[in-house]
Amino acid sequence: VSVRAAVAHGAHDLRVEEVDEQPLGRGEVEVRPLIGGICGSDLHYFNDGAVGDFALREPMVLGHELVAEVVRAEAADAPAPGTLVAIDPSRPCRRCERCRAGAPNLCTEVRFLGSAARFPHVQGGFRERLVVGREQVVPLPDGLEPETAAFAEPLAVAIHAVGRAGALLGKDVLVTGAGPIGLLVVLAAARAGAASITVSDLHPTPLARAREVGATATVDAREPVAAGLADVAFEASGSPAALESCVRALRPGGRIVAIGMGGGKLPSVGGPLVAREIELVGSFRFTAAEFRTSVRELAAGIGVRPLLSGSFALDDALEAFETASRPDATKVQLAF
Amino acid sequence: VSVRAAVAHGAHDLRVEEVDEQPLGRGEVEVRPLIGGICGSDLHYFNDGAVGDFALREPMVLGHELVAEVVRAEAADAPAPGTLVAIDPSRPCRRCERCRAGAPNLCTEVRFLGSAARFPHVQGGFRERLVVGREQVVPLPDGLEPETAAFAEPLAVAIHAVGRAGALLGKDVLVTGAGPIGLLVVLAAARAGAASITVSDLHPTPLARAREVGATATVDAREPVAAGLADVAFEASGSPAALESCVRALRPGGRIVAIGMGGGKLPSVGGPLVAREIELVGSFRFTAAEFRTSVRELAAGIGVRPLLSGSFALDDALEAFETASRPDATKVQLAF
Amino acid sequence: VSVRAAVAHGAHDLRVEEVDEQPLGRGEVEVRPLIGGICGSDLHYFNDGAVGDFALREPMVLGHELVAEVVRAEAADAPAPGTLVAIDPSRPCRRCERCRAGAPNLCTEVRFLGSAARFPHVQGGFRERLVVGREQVVPLPDGLEPETAAFAEPLAVAIHAVGRAGALLGKDVLVTGAGPIGLLVVLAAARAGAASITVSDLHPTPLARAREVGATATVDAREPVAAGLADVAFEASGSPAALESCVRALRPGGRIVAIGMGGGKLPSVGGPLVAREIELVGSFRFTAAEFRTSVRELAAGIGVRPLLSGSFALDDALEAFETASRPDATKVQLAF
Amino acid sequence: VSVRAAVAHGAHDLRVEEVDEQPLGRGEVEVRPLIGGICGSDLHYFNDGAVGDFALREPMVLGHELVAEVVRAEAADAPAPGTLVAIDPSRPCRRCERCRAGAPNLCTEVRFLGSAARFPHVQGGFRERLVVGREQVVPLPDGLEPETAAFAEPLAVAIHAVGRAGALLGKDVLVTGAGPIGLLVVLAAARAGAASITVSDLHPTPLARAREVGATATVDAREPVAAGLADVAFEASGSPAALESCVRALRPGGRIVAIGMGGGKLPSVGGPLVAREIELVGSFRFTAAEFRTSVRELAAGIGVRPLLSGSFALDDALEAFETASRPDATKVQLAF
């Protein structure tokens, strides 16, 4: 039996077409996706045919920000058919050194939905039926709407980044880059008690949205930021110039959490980084516990809805991806 | 009254000449320097007339790695005249935010011996008489020789750097750069229980010295280091290429402590730093407590003596600085 | 010249009487107190003539939770006369090992307003004129009312305690004891992003107030708490039974922050503490930076006002202390 | 087929008798134990028929400190038959919250060799043939003798405890209790760079042994320890009085790592613990990574051999246990 799916065949070659259903193994759950958010990495596959070093080598179903309905399960304690669940797209190995050290987000054997990091690629979730591991499905708390719950994955990324910064109560925060991740970091940092949150971006629309979700100040990324502005900076743009701004903005002993994957060179930060003992730490994905925290925060009312820029049917996936690629878009969803 | 001193007047213009004695204020101690180690920053003033952004704007006595004998004091609890002391060259303000937060090494108002960071410059200690604050003198434990004790300052830098790395017991360590600081980091990391210590440098002589002080392996810095070699890296060369090696060598979640002040660009480390959650943290100078630990470790026998490349009289300061500038020199001392 | 003050002469011997004005030294500020909150330690001096080991050995003006107006200053950069300020009651020595390590709250030479820990005692601030150090006065941000600002000191205690717990975003929290400090911890923990806050107390009135300020659940302290309820517990009652509840309630690896000074024995917690690797850490007072954060949080609207149980004139200090001693009172203030 | 084993049937009822061989499952390895160290918990089963709350409810083979020879394996990457291996006695579930958080030592579903915590009990390793999981066998590095390698398990406990203390370089350390774990903590703390190590115990023989393995001072546990002696204390005796000594001995902000499982009450430490912000943290077992570090440290020459009090054949197990129960014994081994 086959189901419809949004399949990337290469750069600018996204097709909605039939793909085979997936077999249901022991400890697994078959779900029917309802909402799928389009992520920056989906857009990279769509626009460039690759994410960093990971190029498409075969057709791959995209999508890993998913809310779905349980269809059936081969696991004793699985949620009942009909249950609405958020899907944790990570399936770490649980055996490698990183998994054993409590950092499954750094698992080198991880199977992550819709990723070309391995070959054969791990097929994603923009499809009418999907099979995942039992531990990947998290039932939605009562009253949490699917459109909101579909932010669980990117909010988990933001919660993990905030966790990398340590306690934020009373701290002054800078966020460079007001894309979806940057804005979710604003929400998570406000929730963690940041005293002020300054956001920089090149475009006015994302900056306006930043103010809507809790930024206390916004700045044009072309202007130099004030020195000594912040205790903690989140670099969510991937731009080397933004990283330089973070170094300049931080007080001595401050910390930069780098979430953006910009591959460029880090501009001459060596001297100030050493002399002011700045800490620059990477932040990558999230753990299963953080994904659960994310679902719980969404149910408790953390205000992600201003980030939703549009919703499209699966058959209109191409239009959805084009809309999501515009600089003034934040989050675009597919509704199955 | 005047005393003889080694005074830098500009690049390659070091003169041994008479300078005025310093007045002795309340809470201060006058000492007679016995041994003075030549530091990398002394060499920068000597060779370039500047350290980074801080250029000589007036004649400045060099020197901040000092062992001395107490002459007299205006402080009730000061060591008796004749007592041998190591000199902590830092005099932090105790009032700024960093001092109050327990990071006096980042004090922006610090007076540091022999530094052009402020104007008028803070005169250094390569002179026959020197006045310092009461809290800057640390009596030598019985049996600690002055030549050894003169390593207290640079060893404190290494101890601080090792502290920035967290617990090292059982960890695999990489040190890039086998100059005096890199070698002292080898000693301190071994003392802290590192399971292995790999050292890289461009020259064979420093690498041989690294093995002498406890390196378990050495590598030519021109060769690529093995990926996944280390849990913790200490970057002590200031070279961007070395920093790139550190990123490559580290296991996921690893930490780089950057001590070298290389002002160059950090070569494209953004992607791997994020995806493997590498931590890059600056390390700058040391606290008063770490200086005391350093003196105590020297007394307990930490083996710094292989690092001593030569000793010269004050009148031969020029020759001493030229010797210290050679790539195969490690630490050169002045004996007053 | 003399001013009126609330002076403790011994247990149940509080007198409003004339005391000498204090001399104004260099670096000091004279202020006119406007609001003074009555703290648990004030009540101990009032009811028992002592706080723990520190007994009254001479008459002592009570009070250290103060908002005041600047009268005059002997410090160049002091706020102008008429400026409203919150008073940080701590004057640490800045020289001891703890001060230098960034823990001035543990300074052994600290002068803390209204404390019998030293002799002669450090006189407190329930008086018409008070002299403090320049660095002890923090101007109130625009719009912050004095009655609210007078919570700066106890809220700083709560903020310090929350800081001892590490990041709280998404964590489940237990608070034992719903006195003023316990309730302020509820506010601070909510602000730091706690996912749930359960509060236990022996009395229904404080529990009702706990719900008012953000507790998500309340329990009678006589009932056993559920095992595995919390990631972090704040012990604010000083009761050994409450500490036992904290151990029971925590998940493996959880942390207890002990704020209550109960001198009793810790009931057999050794086994579970070891086998579940519970962390029990003390929390004492706050730093100057945390005091400033507290003022800023009050200005930003953290909701302390439900804690205010009553206000009395200085001449009615006796009635104020009797009211504050009742189990259903939270915070009672003197208005000068 | 049956093999001989040392089986505890109850308090003071240890029998060397035949037990059934264990089936070899997928991912498992069958080994032939060569050396087995007798642990404190083995002695509790032997003397009391229980360890804390865990009583013997069926006959149980004792033993979990083991070096063995591989016989055969059902795992592709297992060491070849004949390989000498140290046995990690822990088999955590890898699925519970603690395992996923990187704390498998706190796994609630763990299978630990020779433990009555579960029913049916997990049979131990004092037997001629034993089946364990593939990941439980760690090949001995060249030159590491089996008698030394049999310290891998208790040394891992000490390494974990030292890890709970944070970096020790330059710190003053107190160890209360000079039994095998206390002495191994002395070795591990020295290796981690402790500046001084004071050991307290009730008996002179263990104190003499402490000096042999690196203690810089020893004290009779009946004498009060000096206040402000230490930055870090390891409580390895399980005695409430010792815990009280730790609190007294610590400087403000110090940390106690509690390894001893003494179930008694903690004597009135509440006040000082709060006012000096002491941290009291439990330490329980170790992780797989720490077990590997332990084997590596033994191969590198950490000096455990002074701790070996005697060696007995399996048939003389009763004599071995009686010897090990004497106060002047440290570690007694069975040689199969």
Side-chain angles (χ1 to χ4, degrees), chain A residues 55 83 87 89 140 149 154 156 164 168 191-192 207 227 232 239 266 287 300 330:
Chain A
T83 307
I87 306 291
L140 303 196
R164 295 279 288 162
L168 288 188
R191 180 79 173 98
L207 289 179
V232 173
S239 141
L266 309 190
T287 67
T330 298

Side-chain angles (χ1 to χ4, degrees), chain B residues 192-216:
Chain B
S196 75
I197 305 177
T198 303
V199 178
S200 78
D201 198 287
L202 290 165
H203 301 289
T205 310
L207 290 179
R209 218 158 278 148
R211 284 187 296 270
E212 224 178 317
V213 295
T216 55

Side-chain angles (χ1 to χ4, degrees), chain A residues 72-89:
Chain A
R72 63 199 179 100
E74 284 286 341
D77 61 343
T83 307
L84 294 187
V85 292
I87 306 291
D88 180 345

Side-chain angles (χ1 to χ4, degrees), chain C residues 45-89:
Chain C
Y45 287 121
F46 173 70
N47 287 306
D48 313 329
V51 170
D53 292 345
F54 305 128
L56 289 173
R57 297 163 59 192
E58 61 176 340
M60 184 175 80
V61 179
L62 297 179
H64 59 268
E65 302 181 0
L66 301 158
V67 167
E69 185 182 273
V70 171
V71 174
R72 61 198 181 100
E74 283 286 341
D77 60 343
T83 307
L84 295 187
V85 292
I87 306 291
D88 179 345

